[in-house]
Amino acid sequence: MPEAKRDYYEVLGVNKNASESEIKSAYRKLAKKYHPDVNPGNAEAEKKFKEASEAYAVLSDSEKKAKYDQYGHAAFDGSMGGPSMDFSGMDFSDIFGDIFGDLFGGFGFGGGGRGRSNGPMKGQNIRTSVTITFEEAAFGCEKELELMLKDECSNCHGSGAKPGTSKTTCTKCNGKGKVMMTQQTLFGVMQNVSTCPDCNGTGEIIKEKCPQCGGTGYTSSKKRIQVSIPGGIDNGQSVRIRDKGEPGINGGPRGDLLVEVRVKPHPIFQRRDYDIFSNAPISFAQATLGGDVLIDTLDGKVVYSVKAGTQTDTRIRLKGKGVQSLRNKGVRGDHYVTLIVQTPTSLSAEAKDLLRQFDAKTGDTLKPGGTQVKQEKKKRGFMGKIKDAVDDL
């Protein structure tokens, strides 16, 4: 028993009140998704494509749609007394041309092609990279690159033909640069488009090539290009230099040069957006008593006054000491510094004894049996206790 056909509206995913444009749009999406050229060898995709095409063939025709709305599939299978519908004769050239024009070089299916454009075209962009330091990325810099760049051949002026001769129209594609393969299918004539093998898509044949450029129309030479790297640029971002790419076609403008920036890691600093993060060691005495310490920044060493009683992993903020903004040279991010208290690892016997005395004056101690006892402390706060302990040493 043959498989029952699905409702055409269900196939396209539209309701019975859908407009012509909605029906066409729904079919376009399905055709793009399931077309055999997009899914070679996929039987399920081919089945869905045929199903959608059949539904569109009916619902896009007002007369057939009216019959289908009244009688359903029976309107076209001969059971209503009329002839059965032959879908192989349907013309899908309009919808296929609209759907697949961009995918297949501007040619439609079941009809003629629009051909290639012989007007001026912008040249291809060129991509390269440059490596800079962390500081250069923060503040900007100038770099010089040496690249092999193409220029129009001075002998043939870009035509590729030997001076005194000219190009001729390719007879295989008639100057279109594309050739079409015709195939008969269930839904009519389909056409696959490919680049013309004789002219390589140019639409023209050079019988006598220019001896200077070998028929390419261009010559290459090393050139030095100055690149201005803006302050604030980050790793992986690119700088665009206008008109330094490949030469244009048929008098079109040159493409652009895109320079990807690679930033070397810094041994101390880490970056997040325009802010900088780093660690700075301070001594136990500086953390306890406070005092000035030197901190490395992008602007060199700066003096910072550490507060007495500073704990390890305290984070401080140096406002305006970060990376320059790409959008506003007068604005910079901040520099966040984590203060790390250094614990001494090598002490003399005298230093150890002094430290024990210090500990006895400021902290808890243990009885010989391991019981913790509190030392009597003056009610002057932590810094008062520290001062007393230091004065007594």
Side-chain angles (χ1 to χ4, degrees), residues 345-362:
T345 57
S346 179
L347 296 173
S348 66
E350 181 182 5
K352 289 179 180 179
D353 184 56
L354 290 172
L355 194 57
R356 291 189 187 97
Q357 294 179 49
F358 174 83
D359 188 55
K361 289 287 185 179
T362 60

Side-chain angles (χ1 to χ4, degrees), residues 129-340:
S129 63
V130 63
T131 301
I132 62 176
T133 66
F134 192 93
E135 290 82 0
E136 287 174 330
F139 297 117
C141 62
E142 295 288 328
K143 291 291 180 180
E144 185 177 77
L145 303 179
E146 189 173 77
L147 302 171
M148 290 294 294
L149 296 179
K150 290 181 180 178
D151 283 306
E152 185 180 275
C153 176
S154 59
N155 191 45
C156 66
H157 303 290
S159 71
K162 181 180 177 180
T165 67
S166 60
K167 297 179 181 179
T168 59
T169 301
C170 176
T171 55
K172 189 174 185 69
C173 65
N174 294 322
K176 294 179 179 179
K178 303 284 185 180
V179 291
M180 292 184 290
M181 299 283 294
T182 301
Q183 181 182 6
Q184 183 70 39
T185 71
L186 176 64
F187 303 105
V189 176
M190 295 285 194
Q191 294 172 334
N192 294 325
V193 183
S194 61
T195 301
C196 177
D198 288 9
C199 65
N200 295 317
T202 65
E204 297 176 311
I205 298 294
I206 301 175
K207 292 185 176 180
E208 295 186 69
K209 295 181 179 179
C210 170
Q212 184 166 309
C213 66
T216 64
Y218 306 104
T219 56
S220 298
S221 62
K222 279 187 178 181
K223 292 189 177 181
R224 295 182 181 274
I225 304 295
Q226 287 294 129
V227 184
S228 294
I229 309 294
I233 198 164
D234 209 348
N235 185 57
Q237 293 181 322
S238 295
V239 176
R240 182 184 294 269
I241 304 176
R242 302 287 181 184
D243 304 323
K244 293 297 182 182
E246 296 282 358
I249 300 172
N250 296 326
R254 295 185 74 104
D256 300 331
L257 175 62
L258 302 176
V259 183
E260 181 184 353
V261 176
R262 298 174 182 174
V263 182
K264 294 179 182 177
H266 196 278
I268 298 175
F269 304 140
Q270 289 186 331
R271 176 179 172 177
R272 275 183 231 158
D273 295 328
Y274 296 121
D275 294 331
I276 291 178
F277 296 80
S278 68
N279 297 330
I282 61 174
S283 69
F284 178 72
Q286 287 171 324
T288 304
L289 304 175
D292 292 340
V293 296
L294 289 176
I295 295 178
D296 290 309
T297 72
L298 284 173
D299 301 305
K301 293 184 182 295
V302 299
V303 177
Y304 181 81
S305 294
V306 175
K307 295 180 180 179
T310 294
Q311 302 298 305
T312 194
D313 290 334
T314 296
R315 177 175 284 182
I316 63 173
R317 174 190 178 200
L318 303 178
K319 189 175 181 180
K321 291 294 183 181
V323 176
Q324 174 184 306
S325 169
L326 264 174
R327 297 178 180 84
N328 189 339
K329 292 182 179 181
V331 176
R332 290 176 62 178
D334 300 326
H335 187 163
Y336 294 91
V337 183
T338 301
L339 301 176
I340 308 295

Side-chain angles (χ1 to χ4, degrees), residues 45-183:
E46 183 178 358
K47 176 183 175 182
K48 289 183 178 180
F49 174 73
K50 291 178 179 179
E51 184 182 45
S53 298
E54 182 178 322
Y56 176 73
V58 172
L59 300 183
S60 62
D61 185 299
S62 58
E63 184 178 341
K64 293 183 178 68
K65 181 176 182 296
K67 289 182 179 179
Y68 178 74
D69 288 344
Q70 185 174 5
Y71 302 111
H73 293 297
F76 309 109
D77 62 7
S79 62
M80 301 298 298
S84 61
M85 183 172 175
D86 180 10
F87 290 100
S88 64
M90 295 300 299
D91 180 13
F92 292 94
S93 60
D94 175 63
I95 184 69
F96 285 157
D98 186 20
I99 293 172
F100 298 103
D102 291 337
L103 296 179
F104 296 95
F107 285 85
F109 288 80
R114 290 191 293 269
R116 70 183 187 93
S117 171
N118 289 315
M121 295 177 62
K122 184 177 180 179
Q124 294 290 322
N125 293 335
I126 296 176
R127 294 182 179 272
T128 188
S129 63
V130 63
T131 301
I132 62 176
T133 66
F134 192 93
E135 290 82 0
E136 287 174 330
F139 297 117
C141 62
E142 295 288 328
K143 291 291 180 180
E144 185 177 77
L145 303 179
E146 189 173 77
L147 302 171
M148 290 294 294
L149 296 179
K150 290 181 180 178
D151 283 306
E152 185 180 275
C153 176
S154 59
N155 191 45
C156 66
H157 303 290
S159 71
K162 181 180 177 180
T165 67
S166 60
K167 297 179 181 179
T168 59
T169 301
C170 176
T171 55
K172 189 174 185 69
C173 65
N174 294 322
K176 294 179 179 179
K178 303 284 185 180
V179 291
M180 292 184 290
M181 299 283 294
T182 301
Q183 181 182 6

